[in-house]
Amino acid sequence: MNAMERSALVNTSTEGANVNIILIGAQGSGKGTQAALLVQSLGIVHIASGDLFRAASQEQTELGKKIRSYLDKGELVPDEITVQMILNRINKPDCASGGVLLDGFPRTVAQAQALDKGLQGVGQQIDLAIYLQVPREELISRLSGRYICQAHQHVYNIYTNPPKVPGVCDIDGSNLYQRSDDRGEVVEKRLNIFFSETIRLLDYYRAENKLAEVNGKQEIDHVHMEIMKIIKNWDRSPPK
Ligand code: AMP
């Protein structure tokens, strides 16, 4: 899709619509990239649990240290910390009108249930859950090549999308680094959690008639276009 086509799509989009979306996808599925495009197209608030945890893990507090220990091992942070953190974020004023895009949360059915309950309490609900489907072998190769810029988290892949100068961000010139949890066994562990736990969310949202599946092995723009079509065709009436 060229810039004009994208702009046409965006101009007829659901910009400003009050839609609450969950983006489900394994690590390396392109979830972060698609989230950034959706935020641009729809003007909704992006809430990425991993980003919130990475920021919290830098704090020199007991909670910060505790969170860091889970992140370093590639394990899920316990629900009582996670659910509270996300609900606090959703209750901030910027989320009240335009809708939210949840990325990385929920990751378990228990979290999905807690989210539904928390949203009901403020008269909101999840409208759509979009699953970005990518085979496991592809995910491993994408993750082991992934490097991120220190300044603004721009994402590169040393095999498929390398920077012009090795180790340096094309956009802002900052150094690139590999996330500690994108290496070796930790990648395997995170993918195991996804394919054993998080995948169950598909049944949860399918049963509520809210699930849409997208082939995440296409070009970035095509994936975006498919997601935008799903959102445009989304029926606001509650599931029968
Ligand atoms: P991500 O960037 O989404 O891969 O998340 C990085 C790490 O943050 C994960 O490996 C977990 O340790 C933690 N995390 C992010 N989201 C959640 C969640 N919904 N539940 C529990 N832990 C999470």
Side-chain angles (χ1 to χ4, degrees):
M1 183 169 39
N2 61 34
M4 238 165 92
E5 285 167 329
R6 184 190 285 169
S7 141
L9 184 68
V10 169
N11 288 339
T12 55
S13 78
T14 51
E15 188 156 7
N18 190 0
V19 53
N20 293 325
I21 302 171
I22 294 173
L23 206 47
I24 304 171
Q27 298 76 7
S29 61
K31 194 162 47 75
T33 304
Q34 293 301 326
L37 291 172
L38 285 173
V39 166
Q40 246 181 18
S41 300
L42 299 171
I44 58 181
V45 176
H46 179 201
I47 302 179
S49 52
D51 288 349
L52 294 178
F53 279 135
R54 272 183 289 280
S57 74
Q58 298 304 311
E59 286 168 21
Q60 300 307 320
T61 57
E62 277 312 304
L63 182 62
K65 273 191 226 157
K66 192 168 174 188
I67 291 173
R68 191 156 60 242
S69 73
Y70 289 100
L71 261 64
D72 286 346
K73 287 183 281 185
E75 288 172 7
L76 293 186
V77 177
D79 282 356
E80 60 272 21
I81 302 177
T82 306
V83 171
Q84 202 47 52
M85 182 186 71
I86 295 287
L87 291 179
N88 285 347
R89 180 65 192 88
I90 291 177
N91 284 328
K92 295 218 165 124
D94 60 335
C95 299
S97 52
V100 294
L101 177 68
L102 291 175
D103 161 1
F105 180 92
R107 256 172 160 90
T108 62
V109 170
Q111 289 182 0
Q113 287 164 336
L115 174 66
D116 280 349
K117 212 166 142 203
L119 287 178
Q120 259 168 29
V122 290
Q124 296 255 21
Q125 62 164 10
I126 291 302
D127 300 302
L128 264 175
I130 298 170
Y131 176 45
L132 270 183
Q133 198 179 17
V134 177
R136 189 181 170 116
E137 319 77 69
E138 169 83 12
L139 294 168
I140 291 178
S141 98
R142 286 188 188 179
L143 287 170
S144 57
R146 179 160 82 170
Y147 279 75
I148 299 167
C149 96
Q150 242 147 14
H152 297 102
Q153 283 72 52
H154 296 121
V155 180
Y156 296 84
N157 187 293
I158 53 169
Y159 308 120
T160 56
N161 176 30
K164 291 192 185 95
V165 179
V168 180
C169 178
D170 292 349
I171 300 165
D172 58 38
S174 72
N175 288 335
L176 303 183
Y177 73 99
Q178 187 174 38
R179 273 170 49 175
S180 58
D181 56 358
D182 278 351
R183 295 177 204 146
E185 277 175 20
V186 183
V187 166
E188 292 284 344
K189 195 193 258 178
R190 291 164 70 216
L191 289 179
N192 287 344
I193 295 174
F194 182 85
F195 285 107
S196 61
E197 283 269 352
T198 308
I199 204 80
R200 293 177 203 209
L201 290 178
L202 304 190
D203 284 338
Y204 183 83
Y205 289 110
R206 197 178 284 121
E208 292 194 353
N209 218 2
K210 292 179 176 172
L211 182 73
E213 299 185 55
V214 173
N215 174 6
K217 250 195 105 175
Q218 311 172 81
E219 268 181 41
I220 291 174
D221 277 343
H222 283 126
V223 175
H224 178 57
M225 197 167 63
E226 265 196 41
I227 296 177
M228 288 298 288
K229 275 191 195 147
I230 290 166
I231 296 169
K232 278 170 71 180
N233 295 333
W234 160 61
D235 178 5
R236 271 167 191 280
S237 57
K240 284 110 203 153

